[in-house]
Amino acid sequence: MRKSGIFFIILAMLRFSAMAEEGMWIPMLIEQLNIKHLQDLGLKLSAEDIYSVNHSSLKDAIVQFGGGCTAEIVSPQGLILTNHHCGLGAIQRLSSLQHDYLTDGFWAGSFEEEIPSPGVTVTLLVRMEDVTKQVLEGVNDQMNQFQRAQVIKQNAEKLERAAIQGTHYDAKIRPFYYGNQYYLLISESFKDVRLVGALPSSIGKFGGDTDNWMWPRHTGDFSVFRIYAGKNNDPAEYSKDNVPYIPKKYLQVSLKGYQKNDFTLVYGYPGSTREYLTSFGVDLTANKENPLKTGLRQKRLDIMKSAMDESRLVRLQYTAKANGIANYWKKMIGESRGIRRIDGIAKKEKFEQLFQAWADSSPDHKARYGNLLPAFKAVYQRYLPVDVSTIYIVEAGQGIEIVRFASGFRELVKISKNKATTPDDILSARESLKKNTREFFKNYQPSIDRKVMVAMLRAMATGMDPGFLPDVFTEINKNYNNDFESYANRLYEVSIFSDSAMVLEFLDSYKASDVKTIDKDPVFHLMASIYARNDRDLVPGMTRITGQIDSLQRIYMAGLIEMQRQKVFYPDANSTLRIAFGKVDDYYPADAVKYDYFTTLAGVMQKEDSTIYDYQVDPRLKKLFAEKDYGAYADRDGTLHVAFTASNHTTGGNSGSPVLNANGELIGINFDRDWEGTLSDLMYDPAQCRNIALDIRYCLFVIDKVAGSSRLISEMKINQP
């Protein structure tokens, strides 16, 4: 009776709950999962309109941009919109002091003026297919984690090869629900992507890192690119003969705007979430990993930003670097605060008590799941010291730029010591390294990196487990008495890696016998010691323990699904195409504080501060505001909206994702989350989790009225209110 009573209570508490606004759903499964619920909330589209392999659908207008963001096709000539911060790296690489596109912006006046962006790719999903049965063929419960992984790998590779034989497509099988399901994704990647429009930083980065992850936002976070294709509209390497890509589908734009509680749909490539972690995993992330990582990143940021404030050249060189470090630095701070605010670990522990009671309610459940939670506790205890040392190696040791640069020479050293290596092998390696050297030093300041080196080595010496410290620290203590500043100064005085001319001269005449010069170089020695400790000791330990955690997590996920049969589970994000639904909404971040759901251009002017780089306002924008010259882009209330918030569940990778209305029209470009809701990668809080989107009308206003690029406006299908 006691167990039956507990079981009844559990079922009552875990009644069907999958239809909240939480979740990142697989588009292919939207029909069977929750399309009716979405339509009840206001969606006017069918499941086939969202995802189809038989005819064009919304999925054909959504691309993965650069491997880490999302973009949307908005014209029949392959024009795409994404975030300014997603295109920032490409824009920086194309910039110089003579053509400072980061600061001043850029707008191509014709197709011929659009600038090739080497290294930028966009990927379109062709179709996806459930291949769980085929991938798990031959797998059994008697296998250990390594044996299981080997069988799955062999099966997956065989399926991938067969799926794209004779085509130009790519194939990748990805695990879902921690390896309880597998899907085959067929895609095509376009490598000729050209810059069409870049905002001046006073619009595209307005508010800088201060406003990042915060609401209210007034950042015009968008950039414009175009996909080019070769013969037959297929992907092709860059060629002047390539032509704009003709998409199967492109998004129509709505000028109608939005009201509170309006339905919204975000379609994109979210990177990573871990919603089904145990309390042990959440505690590790929020209370141990995040504080350590943010502390180390803070040191690097302080050094970089101090130099950026003093030099226009340094600001140009380090904007993208600092932005990359700061983005998740601030996110991790907010994530940990959010978990504490909702008492997330205690909530997880309370649920785990219910799970344990359910697992103990029958002999079959107990045999499969009864010992899971104690096993989790034990493995996380073993994981912690290895994890902490790995963070120091990656965030501190490999956070030193010259160390990462020197690591690129390891392959040259390896082949130089191999008697089978040919002169052509050496020549190829030399030319590749020369190219990398020019790219590295274009955006590098030794004086900044030297300070970073001192700070990072000092942090490692004082914070790491001595048993995991790289061997070079013994030498630094012996020869420099742990005076890291003197050590760093000496390295930069004698190392060839500290000067581009020295590196290029060395490579120009390099032959295999010169490998001893690299081996003896103090920077290469520092790098080798740091990487050796990681590769020799930490990576094997991390791999072994994470394999154990993954195995437990797979079984736990299966238990969660079995325990809550009435619930429809969404899989964690894994950089595959997903939809998230919600509504335009405000929120209350703290007692007696309410945030409205949109911002306006007036807020930009209120934040203006000419003495602070991040809060300088473009003169053209000021003039248009003074004249209230908003054209067709003003809201019905007469103001020009800049951004808005909604309750869509998003994460990294959703940057640049289209925000669609009930009719599937583009009303915004997702670019951020509110700081109070950044815990959503671990736990979703419907009261606080909000995605932040750029109002598409502000995007069009800037393109048309500020940039004067009406040719781009004429390409799009814009629906009037």
Side-chain angles (χ1 to χ4, degrees):
M1 282 294 293
R2 185 179 65 83
K3 288 185 177 180
S4 297
I6 292 173
F7 186 63
F8 177 80
I9 293 170
I10 292 170
L11 289 180
M13 294 182 67
L14 300 175
R15 63 189 181 277
F16 184 74
S17 59
M19 292 304 131
E21 289 157 13
E22 176 182 358
M24 302 171 186
W25 303 89
I26 301 174
M28 187 185 80
L29 303 180
I30 198 64
E31 175 70 65
Q32 64 199 69
L33 289 178
N34 57 359
I35 187 65
K36 179 63 168 61
H37 178 64
L38 299 190
Q39 291 168 341
D40 290 343
L41 291 175
L43 179 67
K44 308 297 184 186
L45 305 177
S46 68
E48 281 279 296
D49 293 327
I50 293 173
Y51 177 94
S52 177
V53 294
N54 299 314
H55 60 75
S56 64
S57 61
L58 287 177
K59 82 166 174 63
D60 299 309
I62 315 301
V63 301
Q64 189 172 40
F65 181 89
C69 285
T70 303
E72 49 274 5
I73 305 174
V74 293
S75 90
Q77 295 175 295
L79 193 71
I80 59 175
L81 299 176
T82 189
N83 288 155
H84 178 267
H85 74 260
C86 292
L88 192 64
I91 297 167
Q92 182 186 40
R93 289 191 295 271
L94 296 173
S95 295
S96 65
L97 284 176
Q98 292 72 34
H99 300 287
D100 186 354
Y101 303 139
L102 275 181
T103 302
D104 304 327
F106 165 81
W107 295 94
S110 64
F111 288 107
E112 291 73 24
E113 292 180 8
E114 295 173 358
I115 306 176
S117 304
V120 177
T121 61
V122 299
T123 302
L124 270 163
L125 177 69
V126 177
R127 63 180 175 86
M128 63 187 302
E129 175 186 346
D130 187 344
V131 291
T132 305
K133 183 178 179 180
Q134 300 95 306
V135 170
L136 295 181
E137 184 177 353
V139 172
N140 60 62
D141 292 340
Q142 285 67 52
M143 291 178 170
N144 60 36
Q145 184 70 5
F146 176 77
Q147 293 168 330
R148 175 188 173 89
Q150 287 297 105
V151 172
I152 288 173
K153 181 175 183 288
Q154 292 170 3
N155 289 344
E157 290 176 348
K158 180 180 178 180
L159 290 168
E160 289 168 352
R161 288 193 298 268
I164 57 174
Q165 188 172 4
T167 75
H168 68 271
Y169 294 143
D170 300 311
K172 185 67 177 177
I173 291 176
R174 302 297 299 271
F176 291 74
Y177 302 106
Y178 289 95
N180 285 288
Q181 288 186 14
Y182 290 86
Y183 285 86
L184 170 68
L185 295 97
I186 307 297
S187 62
E188 57 181 346
S189 295
F190 292 81
K191 298 179 180 180
D192 188 353
V193 180
R194 306 185 191 181
L195 177 64
V196 177
L199 295 167
S201 58
S202 59
I203 298 176
K205 270 186 64 65
F206 184 80
D209 292 331
T210 302
D211 281 7
N212 193 24
W213 299 105
M214 306 298 287
W215 183 258
R217 290 297 292 274
H218 298 87
T219 309
D221 199 345
F222 77 92
S223 55
V224 189
F225 290 80
R226 193 185 303 277
I227 307 169
Y228 278 75
K231 186 179 180 181
N232 299 324
N233 207 38
D234 289 335
E237 298 288 344
Y238 167 77
S239 168
K240 62 181 179 58
D241 297 324
N242 288 347
V243 296
Y245 170 67
I246 302 172
K248 297 177 183 176
K249 178 81 173 180
Y250 63 92
L251 299 182
Q252 298 184 24
V253 179
S254 172
L255 295 183
K256 184 178 180 180
Y258 42 81
Q259 296 292 312
K260 183 178 177 179
N261 293 322
D262 278 359
F263 178 87
T264 55
L265 187 75
V266 171
Y267 214 149
Y269 285 87
S272 177
T273 57
R274 297 177 293 165
E275 303 292 338
Y276 306 107
L277 283 183
T278 62
S279 60
F280 310 107
V282 175
D283 179 53
L284 176 75
T285 300
N287 295 329
K288 299 176 179 66
E289 291 180 333
N290 284 354
L292 177 55
K293 291 178 182 179
T294 55
L296 293 170
R297 289 190 174 208
Q298 180 72 67
K299 295 177 188 295
R300 292 161 64 195
L301 283 170
D302 288 345
I303 293 168
M304 290 181 180
K305 288 183 176 180
S306 177
M308 290 167 67
D309 288 342
E310 297 176 0
S311 167
R312 179 169 167 253
L313 174 61
V314 172
R315 178 170 293 278
L316 179 65
Q317 292 174 319
Y318 275 77
T319 292
K321 294 179 187 179
N323 186 69
I325 297 169
N327 191 39
Y328 266 69
W329 160 79
K330 194 167 186 178
K331 183 263 184 182
M332 288 185 286
I333 295 173
E335 181 177 70
S336 294
R337 289 174 74 248
I339 292 295
R340 290 193 296 271
R341 175 178 50 77
I342 68 166
D343 204 9
I345 295 169
K347 289 181 178 178
K348 287 277 186 178
E349 290 173 339
K350 185 175 181 180
F351 176 83
E352 287 159 11
Q353 291 173 6
L354 297 176
F355 180 86
Q356 189 66 57
W358 171 81
D360 292 339
S361 67
S362 79
D364 181 54
H365 293 161
K366 191 165 187 174
R368 285 184 290 165
Y369 308 117
N371 294 321
L372 264 180
L373 293 174
F376 269 118
K377 182 178 181 180
V379 76
Y380 273 109
Q381 287 174 341
R382 296 196 301 273
Y383 182 67
L384 180 59
V386 184
D387 183 37
V388 167
S389 293
T390 300
I391 289 171
Y392 272 107
I393 290 289
V394 173
E395 291 283 345
Q398 296 175 14
I400 305 166
E401 291 182 81
I402 201 170
V403 166
R404 294 199 306 276
F405 173 62
S407 72
F409 284 71
R410 288 182 295 172
E411 182 62 22
L412 179 62
V413 170
K414 180 181 177 181
I415 65 173
S416 295
K417 295 178 180 180
N418 187 340
K419 294 181 180 180
T421 298
T422 67
D424 285 343
D425 294 332
I426 295 290
L427 178 62
S428 176
R430 281 170 47 192
E431 292 306 307
S432 177
L433 285 170
K434 285 164 69 174
K435 178 183 177 183
N436 292 343
T437 298
R438 295 186 187 98
E439 292 177 353
F440 174 76
F441 280 96
K442 177 187 176 186
N443 295 310
Y444 179 68
Q445 289 288 340
S447 60
I448 295 175
D449 200 31
R450 189 182 318 190
K451 292 178 181 178
V452 170
M453 178 184 289
V454 172
M456 294 299 99
L457 294 180
R458 187 175 290 143
M460 293 173 72
T462 57
M464 279 185 73
D465 182 332
F468 285 123
L469 268 175
D471 294 338
V472 71
F473 280 83
T474 302
E475 301 170 26
I476 298 172
N477 184 34
K478 178 182 177 180
N479 298 327
Y480 294 89
N481 194 28
N482 280 343
D483 182 346
F484 296 103
E485 189 166 353
S486 296
Y487 171 73
N489 289 341
R490 180 60 179 165
L491 257 62
Y492 277 86
E493 285 174 6
V494 302
S495 173
I496 63 169
F497 293 104
S498 63
D499 181 85
S500 61
M502 292 173 63
V503 177
L504 291 172
E505 182 180 356
F506 175 71
L507 289 172
D508 276 339
S509 59
Y510 183 85
K511 52 188 181 298
S513 59
D514 293 329
V515 69
K516 58 183 178 294
T517 301
I518 302 176
D519 271 335
K520 293 179 180 178
D521 189 277
V523 166
F524 190 83
H525 179 62
L526 171 65
M527 178 280 302
S529 182
I530 290 172
Y531 277 75
R533 176 63 76 187
N534 190 56
D535 298 343
R536 185 182 65 234
D537 301 318
L538 293 173
V539 168
M542 289 285 284
T543 301
R544 182 176 62 257
I545 300 175
T546 54
Q548 295 169 1
I549 293 174
D550 290 346
S551 180
L552 293 174
Q553 196 72 48
R554 172 176 53 82
I555 299 169
Y556 183 59
M557 188 78 237
L560 294 178
I561 294 171
E562 184 176 351
M563 174 185 175
Q564 302 171 83
R565 292 184 182 276
Q566 304 99 325
K567 180 176 179 177
V568 182
F569 285 81
Y570 63 90
D572 273 326
N574 60 355
S575 295
T576 57
L577 191 61
R578 306 291 181 89
I579 64 168
F581 61 92
K583 62 181 179 180
V584 176
D585 207 357
D586 52 23
Y587 71 106
Y588 295 80
D591 184 42
V593 178
K594 178 184 178 181
Y595 283 149
D596 210 347
Y597 62 90
F598 67 90
T599 59
T600 70
L601 187 56
V604 175
M605 304 307 158
Q606 292 166 7
K607 285 183 175 179
E608 181 185 15
D609 187 336
S610 61
T611 66
I612 301 176
Y613 180 83
D614 289 332
Y615 290 99
Q616 296 172 5
V617 177
D618 189 287
R620 294 165 293 184
L621 205 57
K622 292 173 71 172
K623 183 175 184 294
L624 290 164
F625 173 73
E627 297 171 352
K628 298 294 184 286
D629 185 5
Y630 305 146
Y633 312 113
D635 188 74
R636 68 192 75 179
D637 64 11
T639 66
L640 181 65
H641 289 202
V642 173
F644 64 95
T645 55
S647 57
N648 303 84
H649 192 175
T650 61
T651 187
N654 276 125
S655 291
S657 295
V659 181
L660 308 174
N661 63 16
N663 297 313
E665 299 168 313
L666 183 64
I667 60 170
I669 305 173
N670 189 79
F671 71 94
D672 208 351
R673 284 175 283 169
D674 64 304
W675 206 33
E676 295 80 9
T678 49
L679 78 160
S680 62
D681 286 353
L682 302 173
M683 299 177 71
Y684 183 84
D685 177 11
Q688 299 293 332
C689 291
R690 298 289 182 269
N691 63 304
I692 300 174
L694 176 73
D695 193 310
I696 195 62
R697 295 170 298 180
Y698 187 62
C699 170
L700 299 180
F701 165 80
V702 172
I703 292 174
D704 189 1
K705 308 287 283 186
V706 179
S709 192
S710 58
R711 78 179 187 98
L712 301 182
I713 300 295
S714 65
E715 275 191 52
M716 305 181 206
K717 177 68 171 69
I718 300 175
N719 299 326
Q720 299 299 319

